[in-house]
Amino acid sequence: MAEAEWHRAYIGLGSNQQHPREQVIQALDALDRLPLTRLAGASRLYASAPVGPQDQPDFVNAVAELATRLSPLALLDQLQALEQRHGRRRLRHWGPRTLDLDLLLYDEAVIESPRLRVPHPEMAHRGFVLLPLAELAPTLRLPDGRCIAPLAEAMGSDDLRPLLP
Ligand code: ROI
């Protein structure tokens, strides 16, 4: 569904299979080519130790800012289609993945539907989301008013390191 208004959405990207850095770089490019959508910014890429099962490779993570006229569910459809085009395999719960695209934030919206929860329910606990997001949008707030920057700072950056370009 196309809307007249432009919205701001933040997307978490993650990969730890099949050349993760290239997966994320290509996904950023593909986000810019989604219908009714432009890539408005992106964090650096980070290598991050896996959260969850440790017997899997490190992840490459980044966060993208989109300007979009898609509704949240239409954007979710596009993100899931893009994951499929990247040959997404979800071998097990919290296991390795080729490409993960999480809709983190959509304007100040709070969405609790069977298919979609925004803000992403785990984002405030995950350094691999908060640190790139704080880099990209240091003054951003969650819909409940909390600032991203101090949340990210409280996380620490021990398990995260920026990849060189
Ligand atoms: N761990 C890290 N570091 N990065 C991710 O993107 C990531 N994604 C996941 C799980 C398996 C929870 N762990 C992760 O889905």
Side-chain angles (χ1 to χ4, degrees):
M1 181 182 66
E3 299 180 5
E5 299 288 318
W6 286 92
H7 302 273
R8 190 163 305 274
Y10 289 91
I11 311 298
L13 299 89
S15 170
N16 72 345
Q17 296 286 298
Q18 298 178 38
H19 309 292
R21 180 201 287 260
E22 281 68 35
Q23 292 287 346
V24 170
I25 290 170
Q26 286 173 18
L28 287 169
D29 192 50
L31 288 172
D32 193 40
R33 286 182 279 111
L34 292 183
L36 302 169
T37 300
R38 287 288 168 271
L39 181 67
S43 70
R44 290 178 292 177
L45 271 53
Y46 289 84
S48 69
V51 169
Q54 298 295 297
D55 60 335
Q56 57 179 322
D58 282 0
F59 280 79
V60 173
N61 285 111
V63 170
E65 178 181 327
L66 302 182
T68 186
R69 290 169 58 200
L70 296 173
S71 69
L73 282 176
L75 179 56
L76 179 67
D77 286 338
Q78 292 291 336
L79 297 177
Q80 290 181 345
L82 188 52
E83 288 176 338
Q84 296 304 324
R85 290 203 290 281
H86 279 247
R88 177 181 170 131
R89 312 253 186 291
R90 216 179 193 159
L91 303 171
R92 59 180 152 101
H93 185 60
W94 277 32
R97 57 262 332 271
T98 317
L99 180 64
D100 211 3
L101 298 172
D102 288 334
L103 177 47
L104 304 171
L105 295 167
Y106 184 98
D107 293 337
E108 282 83 46
V110 176
I111 302 167
E112 298 279 347
S113 79
R115 268 194 75 202
L116 179 63
R117 293 173 68 195
V118 174
H120 189 284
E122 300 298 333
M123 66 175 284
H125 317 293
R126 290 182 166 175
F128 65 81
V129 173
L130 289 174
L131 285 143
L133 183 57
E135 172 193 321
L136 179 60
T139 61
L140 190 68
R141 288 170 183 268
L142 294 174
D144 66 11
R146 283 184 292 168
C147 290
I148 292 295
L151 286 175
E153 213 160 299
M155 237 32 249
S157 54
D158 290 353
D159 293 334
L160 221 65
R161 73 187 154 77
L163 291 178
L164 296 173

